[in-house]
Amino acid sequence: MIPIMVEMPTVSQCSVRECAYNTEDACHARAITVGDGVHPGCDTYFGAEAHTHAAERRAGVGACKVSVCRHNDDYECSAESIVVGKSSNSVCCQTFSPR
Ligand code: SF4
Ligand code: SF4
C-alpha cells in the first residue's frame, strides 16, 4: 500500500454498537463517508455481529456530501471532530448544524 498523509476531522465518538466498525463506542474504520446530499447519515455504517479488531485505529471523516451543514466546505467536513449516533431510526452525524 502507498502511505497517504492527510489531515481529517476525527470521529470522536460513535454510539452505534451494532456497526461492524464500532468497538467500545468508538469508530475504527480508516475513514467514513457522511451524507446523501441533505441527510447527514453515516454511509459507512455496516451492521454485523463481527467487529473490527483494529481497536487502536481512529476513524477520520474522509468525505461529507451534506453541503447544507455549516461545517461543510467543498463537500469535505471542516469540523475538528464529529460525533455519530442514532436519531430516530437512522445513523447520523450529530455534529450536523444547518447553515
Ligand atoms: S461512525 Fe459510522 S462506520 Fe463508524 S462505527 Fe459509527 S456507524 Fe459505524
Ligand atoms: S459536521 Fe457537517 S460537514 Fe461534518 S460530517 Fe457532519 S454533516 Fe458533514
Side-chain angles (χ1 to χ4, degrees):
M1 283 191 279
I2 299 171
I4 299 174
M5 305 298 283
V6 58
E7 289 187 5
M8 283 189 273
T10 56
V11 180
S12 62
Q13 186 183 340
C14 176
S15 57
V16 187
R17 292 187 167 180
E18 60 268 42
C19 176
Y21 292 109
N22 192 297
T23 305
E24 297 178 352
D25 288 335
C27 180
H28 304 292
R30 282 190 181 138
I32 68 167
T33 300
V34 174
D36 63 1
V38 177
H39 178 70
C42 177
D43 281 358
T44 309
Y45 167 78
F46 170 49
E49 284 190 18
H51 290 256
T52 181
H53 300 298
E56 74 286 351
R57 186 167 60 210
R58 306 298 296 186
V61 183
C64 177
K65 294 170 266 181
V66 188
S67 60
V68 296
C69 177
R70 69 183 177 90
H71 298 296
N72 196 288
D73 179 17
D74 200 21
Y75 299 112
E76 302 287 354
C77 180
S78 63
E80 187 70 26
S81 62
I82 70 165
V83 173
V84 177
K86 279 190 175 173
S87 177
S88 300
N89 283 331
S90 65
V91 174
C92 60
C93 171
Q94 296 181 332
T95 309
F96 168 76
S97 175
R99 291 185 192 276

